[in-house]
Amino acid sequence: MSLSLIEAVLLVFVLGCAIGAAVLRDVLAALMAFAAYSLGISIIWVMLEAPDVGLTEAAVGAGIMTILFILALANTVRPQENGLFEPISVRTIALVGAFVVVMLATVPSLPAVGADGAANPVVSGEVTQYYIENAYADTEVHNAVTAVLAAYRGFDTLGEAVVVFSAGVAALTVLRQEVFA
């Protein structure tokens, strides 16, 4: 597995933002690191040829969640403490390190990005071939991704939309109570 320069820079950026969001003591700084992390992840999704997931991550993760967190932060008091970073225990470092090692152990079993044919089981899979061959005939939608999301996985997509809508309504309800209380 070899990384291009842009992939390596993006990976370092995302890891730095994640670590920053976890260890920064200032809540606003941690929030900005979280927003930058989410934006970096959305770019990674686009590079992995999943622009729909990338746009969703950018809109929800970097956009809406950042705005909601800033609104929540504006309604709270920021403690005035000395120090820039939270202390990290050795146990936490060991646990996170073990998790990272387990996750990295799965990387060699992933197909290469853009691999064709038998090298990529996702592309050569039976379900994928069915979707490609029958998407228009079954749904009369010209875009295979839209056909999968709207027709084949319609109830799943509807459920996701209901969850996001419910979360938005709940957040607005809480913010309204906080602002006008």
Side-chain angles (χ1 to χ4, degrees):
M1 177 177 108
S2 64
L3 294 175
S4 69
L5 178 63
I6 187 73
E7 291 170 337
V9 168
L10 193 55
L11 183 61
V12 169
F13 173 75
V14 167
L15 288 174
C17 290
I19 292 168
V23 300
L24 284 169
R25 192 173 283 252
D26 182 24
V27 179
L28 184 59
L31 176 59
M32 291 300 109
F34 172 75
Y37 165 83
S38 187
L39 188 60
I41 291 293
S42 69
I43 295 169
I44 289 174
W45 281 120
V46 171
M47 290 178 65
L48 290 173
E49 299 176 8
D52 54 331
V53 179
L55 286 172
T56 302
E57 177 66 31
V60 175
I64 294 171
M65 290 305 298
T66 302
I67 291 169
L68 289 175
F69 284 151
I70 288 174
L71 288 172
L73 185 60
N75 291 322
T76 60
V77 178
R78 292 178 63 188
Q80 299 297 327
E81 296 180 17
N82 293 334
L84 184 60
F85 297 104
E86 288 287 331
I88 302 173
S89 71
V90 175
R91 186 173 53 163
T92 301
I93 292 172
L95 186 63
V96 169
F99 179 75
V100 167
V101 167
V102 169
M103 291 293 105
L104 288 177
T106 65
V107 170
S109 65
L110 296 173
V113 175
D116 292 327
N120 189 343
V122 175
V123 173
S124 62
E126 189 176 314
V127 174
T128 303
Q129 291 305 316
Y130 177 83
Y131 286 158
I132 291 171
E133 293 168 2
N134 299 308
Y136 180 73
D138 290 350
T139 64
E140 297 182 12
V141 175
H142 294 286
N143 185 317
V145 173
T146 304
V148 169
L149 292 177
Y152 296 121
R153 294 185 56 214
F155 287 118
D156 182 42
T157 303
L158 176 64
E160 291 169 0
V162 167
V163 167
V164 170
F165 177 75
S166 301
V169 168
L172 290 174
T173 302
V174 168
L175 288 174
R176 174 173 279 188
Q177 290 174 355
E178 290 292 323
V179 172
F180 298 112

